[in-house]
Amino acid sequence: MMAVVRSLISVVDDDQSVRESLPDLLNEFGFAVETFASAEEFLASGFIDKTHCLILDVTMPGISGLELQRELRLRGHAVPIVFITAHADESIRPLMIEQGAVDCLFKPFSESALLDALNTALQRE
């Protein structure tokens, strides 16, 4: 299944290795990518309205992934969100999906799981 050509995926993660490795993979899938080290950086970036899907770390210093999700909703931005987390607490997944997330992937996740989540997110647009 082909991804929508050059849909912009914004990656918000305080882990530099994630910000360096994910864009390569996403580019291979055919997406355009912007990365941000914090929720605050993303909110100030001017990319909110251009983002087709947000890959968002759950736990970050400052504004957390869940707080960013809430803030975007308050501002009227319905950008689909795929959460990623290194904290394998299965109990948070249903909560995030209930609050509107497309999926919550636990690191390390497979390329196919990520692509499936992104395709689902982009179909919601």
Side-chain angles (χ1 to χ4, degrees):
M1 187 153 89
M2 280 297 297
V4 178
V5 177
R6 305 309 284 170
S7 293
L8 178 63
I9 309 297
S10 289
V11 177
V12 182
D13 197 317
D14 62 321
D15 182 339
Q16 186 174 350
S17 66
V18 171
R19 292 194 313 275
E20 289 173 354
S21 61
L22 261 186
D24 293 339
L25 177 62
L26 294 169
N27 283 322
E28 281 179 38
F29 288 156
F31 298 113
V33 186
E34 290 291 334
T35 61
F36 305 92
S38 68
E40 293 87 343
E41 189 181 318
F42 177 68
L43 288 170
S45 71
F47 280 97
I48 296 172
D49 291 330
K50 299 177 183 95
T51 297
H52 294 98
C53 181
L54 190 56
I55 296 178
L56 183 54
D57 190 13
V58 175
T59 310
M60 295 181 290
I63 298 174
S64 74
L66 287 170
E67 290 166 336
L68 177 58
Q69 180 187 38
R70 204 171 303 121
E71 179 63 26
L72 290 171
R73 200 175 315 120
L74 287 172
R75 294 182 184 195
H77 296 289
V79 61
I81 296 174
V82 175
F83 280 106
I84 57 176
T85 182
H87 305 282
D89 176 2
E90 284 289 341
S91 67
I92 61 172
R93 190 171 187 273
L95 175 73
M96 292 175 177
I97 290 172
E98 186 179 296
Q99 293 182 9
V102 174
D103 207 343
C104 178
L105 304 176
F106 297 99
K107 298 174 188 173
F109 44 82
S110 70
E111 292 180 10
S112 60
L114 179 61
L115 186 58
D116 287 348
L118 290 172
N119 283 327
T120 300
L122 294 170
Q123 287 164 3
R124 285 192 184 182
E125 273 198 293

